[in-house]
Amino acid sequence: MTNDKKYLTWKKLSPWLDVVTILAWGVLMFKYWLTGQLNILIHRNYFWLTVVAGIALLCIGCFQAWLLYQQGKNSSIANNSNAAGTVEHISLFGPGWSTGLLLMAAVVGLLGEPKVFASDKAIQRGVSDFLPVTQTPQTFRYNTRPEERSLIGWVRTLTVYPEPDAYTGQKVKVSGFVIHLQELPEQYLLLSRFVITCCAADAYPVGLPVKLEGSRSSFPPDTWLEVEGQMITETLQNKRQLTIQASSVRKIPQPANPYDS
């Protein structure tokens, strides 16, 4: 096949590659929405935006395919021959590279499944019992009972009122995944949740130490637990910390929405 024929063939296929890529991304967004995997990718406030974007991409892709089909019926060999004489722009990458990469990313997303952040990612990003400065509420009122607060609820409360003794004796019932920190004694584990504000890229882990009656070895890292007990103050890593004195520890399945917000 001569270079002119290759060029003409590519000129015919290139628009269809664009169409397939647009449709693939539309389908991918719907797949994440229908399978509930959007929970681990973006904040729920942006679900509607993803669905709208998926619908828009599918409509654009179908419309573009219809236009190409109509053009294909009306095109002539003479026009194609004239096209062979057009001048091709010189670029670092050949034509279709960017579209090909986008299509490849969409195919990977369709065939694979996104993974939930776990203890290794939490340790890498650093677990805190306080919110980042950018997430600190200006005003805060927590009217729920202590035992009804979630883990992030306790962290928000502690961020505004950081004295751990103020919560001593209060009941607590929270859930999260297990982290083993080498700096903590064997009797302690860290119960953590990731907080997502926009997308998974900006998710950050928060957590509170849990004091067990025995060794933490019974609860491997990344195990999801529901812990009941009461709040105490412990000195860990030379720091006074609000700690959960566990009276009941129950293994639970990973929730459908593992991130808090």
Side-chain angles (χ1 to χ4, degrees):
M1 184 180 289
T2 64
N3 289 335
D4 286 347
K5 288 184 178 178
K6 289 181 179 177
Y7 179 73
L8 288 174
T9 303
W10 171 250
K11 289 285 287 184
K12 291 180 180 177
L13 294 180
S14 177
W16 285 105
L17 182 62
D18 293 339
V19 169
V20 172
T21 302
I22 292 172
L23 291 174
W25 274 96
V27 173
L28 178 62
M29 291 186 180
F30 267 95
K31 175 212 169 189
Y32 285 150
W33 176 52
L34 294 174
T35 59
Q37 293 173 338
L38 273 183
N39 287 322
I40 57 177
L41 294 175
I42 61 173
H43 192 281
R44 68 186 65 180
N45 289 347
Y46 305 107
F47 282 9
W48 68 271
L49 191 60
T50 305
V51 175
V52 170
I55 294 173
L57 288 172
L58 291 176
C59 291
I60 292 172
C62 291
F63 181 68
Q64 187 67 21
W66 179 79
L67 286 179
L68 289 175
Y69 175 72
Q70 294 298 322
Q71 290 174 2
K73 288 199 303 184
N74 299 327
S75 65
S76 65
I77 298 177
N79 289 337
N80 288 336
S81 298
N82 291 335
T86 57
V87 177
E88 185 179 358
H89 293 287
I90 298 175
S91 60
L92 181 60
F93 299 102
W97 264 91
S98 57
T99 305
L101 289 175
L102 286 173
L103 179 58
M104 187 182 303
V107 171
V108 171
L110 288 169
L111 297 179
E113 292 185 1
K115 292 185 178 179
V116 179
F117 289 157
S119 59
D120 57 341
K121 182 65 71 176
I123 294 174
Q124 179 186 351
R125 296 192 176 188
V127 186
S128 175
D129 52 358
F130 290 92
L131 294 177
V133 176
T134 54
Q135 302 297 325
T136 302
Q138 298 298 316
T139 58
F140 180 74
R141 291 183 178 179
Y142 219 108
N143 297 322
T144 57
R145 295 186 301 174
E147 59 269 31
E148 295 177 349
R149 293 174 189 161
S150 64
L151 192 61
I152 182 62
W154 276 104
V155 171
R156 285 198 179 102
T157 305
L158 195 60
T159 301
V160 177
Y161 308 104
E163 173 50 55
D165 285 344
Y167 312 101
T168 298
Q170 292 190 2
K171 294 181 179 179
V172 57
K173 181 179 180 182
V174 293
S175 60
F177 63 89
V178 173
I179 297 176
H180 288 182
L181 289 183
Q182 294 181 351
E183 297 82 1
L184 295 180
E186 275 294 310
Q187 195 178 358
Y188 296 83
L189 58 79
L190 203 60
L191 196 69
S192 179
R193 293 288 291 263
F194 273 94
V195 181
I196 188 169
T197 57
C198 179
C199 64
D202 63 19
Y204 57 90
V206 297
L208 291 173
V210 177
K211 185 177 183 181
L212 305 169
E213 293 183 356
S215 171
R216 65 190 178 198
S217 59
S218 301
F219 309 104
D222 301 326
T223 305
W224 280 82
L225 300 178
E226 183 182 81
V227 178
E228 292 185 63
Q230 65 177 12
M231 288 301 189
I232 59 175
T233 300
E234 292 282 279
T235 301
L236 303 170
Q237 299 174 279
N238 299 319
K239 174 186 171 186
R240 295 174 61 250
Q241 294 190 49
L242 187 65
T243 304
I244 302 171
Q245 172 71 68
S247 59
S248 170
V249 180
R250 183 170 66 91
K251 294 182 180 179
I252 60 174
Q254 177 182 290
N257 185 3
Y259 301 151
D260 213 326
S261 59

